[in-house]
Amino acid sequence: MSQHYSFNNLFYEVTRRCNLACPQCMAGSADPQRVAESVERELSVDEIERHVLGTASEIGIETITWSGGEFIFREDHLDILRRATRHGYSSIVTTNATLMTREKLLELQEASGGTLVVAVGINSIEDENAWTRQDSHVDSLRVLDWCEELGILRNVVVTVGKHNLETLAATLQWLEDRNIPYNRSPFVPRNCGDAFRQQLCFDRKEMEEVIHPALRAHPNGYISYTPFFLSPEVHERHSKGVRNVTVPQNPSIGCWCGTWLGLSAEGDVSPCGVLIDELRCGNVREKSFQRIIDESEDFQRVLDRDQLQGKCGRCRYQYTCGGCRALAWYHHGDLMAEDPTCFFEPEDATTVCEHEEQTNRMFRRYAFMVRHAHSKRSLAGKNEETRRPEEKSGGAEG
């Protein structure tokens, strides 16, 4: 029997093709053979419309994050966005920024129906960025400036690993000083990244002493990391109990497994964007998203946080954090094992973390910021609807 799901975001690596070949690429874009094989099998634009756009809303998806490889490397990227817009989806476009122009941003904004968010990767505002992304951060900064000029929402993805421990705090402070929202993504040994497992994967001590202090100090990325020591009572009051099965939402917090899902260029579905290729739960050419999730043991487990093991399963923050499921998989080979990078040692569900008060306070600040931003965007949309047609045209051209 089918369940009702309320996933929020589909992270879709539409192509493995890319103009760069970053040696640690988790999409495998630095492997020419892998890319060539993928191009033969990646979904066509008509297949995307039929198998993705036509069915993703059935499981609650409202936003699609278009990634790669490099999304705009596909010649049909504007067609894909326009079809997504016609189906009612909003769009986030991730880009390495090196091919992006001001004119391209305007085209993407038009194709997305004005819903566009542009996400760029900045691992460090210092020299370390060039080593991990085969490019300095200059191109990303230029795209962020254009977005601000054009009124396009922007976001930064910070991939956290041993490579940027020394500059992480300064990078996050730099982003906050400029009011740029971000989310952290842990480096994982996926595809080309596997060769850098020992060199780049952080450990529990580094999480406790360097990464976590930097993350919990800044509200602009306040829902996108683990461990996340938010009081269950605070989130329950704020969210009114909204959940995707057992995974808290409104907003989604801690681990995003169970509130987003990943899709490969070839159509394979995964419970997490950084588990694409590692865990294949079904292919959209063969089954709808609804059937894949209904029939997948991995999806059913990750949606049921009662099944969390080890200290994650006895923790006060079992639901509001959940522990990073991807790191559990890469370390233990078990999607529901305890988070190997968590430094909190609860005796049972009554043990309160010393960081809970700060987490609660910063979460409230974050929630206020999000609601304020949504209100401004809704008002802007209403104002746009009341403008004369010729004014709208002039704005688009300018």
Side-chain angles (χ1 to χ4, degrees):
M1 182 177 177
S2 291
Q3 291 193 61
H4 171 74
Y5 303 111
S6 56
F7 290 89
N8 293 333
N9 185 291
L10 174 64
F11 181 83
Y12 183 10
E13 290 185 346
V14 190
T15 183
R16 298 184 195 270
R17 287 174 283 175
C18 187
N19 60 308
L20 301 181
C22 304
Q24 305 87 1
C25 181
M26 291 184 282
S29 297
D31 182 345
Q33 182 176 349
R34 182 68 181 274
V35 173
E37 293 172 352
S38 174
V39 169
E40 296 298 317
R41 298 169 49 223
E42 68 183 20
L43 300 182
S44 69
V45 64
D46 289 334
E47 288 179 309
I48 291 172
E49 180 156 33
R50 181 164 63 254
H51 299 305
V52 180
L53 304 178
T55 65
S57 61
E58 297 172 2
I59 58 167
I61 298 296
E62 297 178 350
T63 301
I64 300 178
T65 299
W66 308 96
S67 185
E70 176 61 28
F71 172 62
I72 65 172
F73 216 52
R74 274 190 67 143
E75 294 181 356
D76 54 4
H77 62 273
L78 291 175
D79 189 11
I80 292 171
L81 282 191
R82 292 190 183 102
R83 295 193 192 201
T85 301
R86 288 199 295 270
H87 280 268
Y89 299 100
S90 59
S91 288
I92 301 171
V93 171
T94 67
T95 176
N96 63 36
T98 59
L99 298 178
M100 193 63 70
T101 64
R102 189 178 182 279
E103 292 70 29
K104 178 58 65 180
L105 287 169
L106 289 171
E107 290 179 341
L108 295 170
Q109 176 77 323
E110 179 276 328
S112 73
T115 68
L116 181 66
V117 178
V118 172
V120 298
I122 298 179
N123 292 344
S124 174
I125 57 170
E126 306 296 341
D127 292 341
E128 286 86 347
N129 196 76
W131 183 76
T132 56
R133 289 192 179 270
Q134 207 188 52
D135 187 58
S136 73
H137 56 278
V138 174
D139 289 316
S140 293
L141 298 184
R142 182 169 60 249
V143 170
L144 291 174
D145 287 343
W146 281 333
C147 286
E148 183 176 31
E149 173 194 342
L150 298 171
I152 295 171
L153 295 181
R154 53 193 180 158
N155 187 69
V156 168
V157 180
V158 182
T159 301
V160 179
K162 289 181 182 291
H163 57 286
N164 58 355
L165 292 178
E166 293 184 1
T167 60
L168 179 62
T171 298
L172 299 188
Q173 186 63 57
W174 187 92
L175 293 169
E176 183 162 309
D177 289 344
R178 289 154 183 78
N179 199 31
I180 300 173
Y182 65 87
N183 62 283
R184 79 88 180 96
S185 179
F187 175 83
V188 296
R190 174 184 162 227
N191 286 326
C192 299
D194 189 49
F196 297 85
R197 182 186 292 260
Q198 298 301 321
Q199 190 174 357
L200 295 182
C201 288
F202 57 82
D203 59 28
R204 184 178 306 183
K205 186 173 185 289
E206 289 160 337
M207 170 62 80
E208 181 176 15
E209 296 181 357
V210 180
I211 300 169
H212 205 266
L215 292 173
R216 67 175 183 261
H218 302 288
N220 277 17
Y222 217 68
I223 60 174
S224 63
Y225 68 89
T226 58
F228 195 67
F229 303 117
L230 179 66
S231 158
E233 295 82 10
V234 168
H235 188 267
E236 186 75 15
R237 287 195 299 270
H238 181 88
S239 69
K240 311 302 182 188
V242 176
R243 295 171 182 264
N244 187 20
V245 190
T246 70
V247 179
Q249 295 181 314
N250 191 35
S252 302
I253 49 176
C255 179
W256 279 12
C257 272
T259 202
W260 75 330
L261 63 163
L263 181 64
S264 76
E266 302 82 23
D268 293 316
V269 180
S270 168
C272 178
V274 297
L275 286 171
I276 293 173
D277 301 325
E278 286 286 326
L279 281 177
R280 295 181 175 91
C281 299
N283 192 285
V284 294
R285 283 184 169 119
E286 301 165 1
K287 300 178 183 178
S288 67
F289 286 105
Q290 179 77 42
R291 274 193 62 197
I292 288 171
I293 296 166
D294 280 342
E295 298 174 5
S296 166
E297 180 181 355
D298 288 325
F299 265 105
Q300 292 306 310
R301 292 180 74 207
V302 85
L303 286 166
D304 183 6
R305 290 191 175 174
D306 291 337
Q307 295 191 40
L308 287 173
Q309 301 168 12
K311 62 184 180 182
C312 287
R314 65 175 184 269
C315 186
R316 168 170 169 78
Y317 314 102
Q318 178 175 357
Y319 300 98
T320 54
C321 170
C324 181
R325 297 301 93 218
L327 292 177
W329 169 263
Y330 285 106
H331 187 83
H332 301 290
D334 186 338
L335 195 58
M336 303 305 285
E338 69 181 31
D339 184 340
T341 66
C342 181
F343 52 86
F344 183 51
E345 297 292 343
E347 292 184 10
D348 54 37
T350 66
T351 309
V352 177
C353 179
E354 63 180 308
H355 303 303
E356 181 179 304
E357 183 179 349
Q358 181 187 20
T359 305
N360 291 346
R361 183 172 64 254
M362 298 296 276
F363 171 78
R364 292 187 182 101
R365 282 182 59 187
Y366 173 84
F368 174 80
M369 288 164 49
V370 169
R371 288 182 173 177
H372 180 65
H374 285 175
S375 296
K376 286 178 64 178
R377 193 171 187 185
S378 296
L379 180 60
K382 290 178 181 178
N383 290 341
E384 178 71 11
E385 290 173 2
T386 61
R387 291 171 62 192
R388 297 190 307 274
E390 60 271 22
E391 289 178 320
K392 291 184 183 181
S393 176
E397 292 174 357

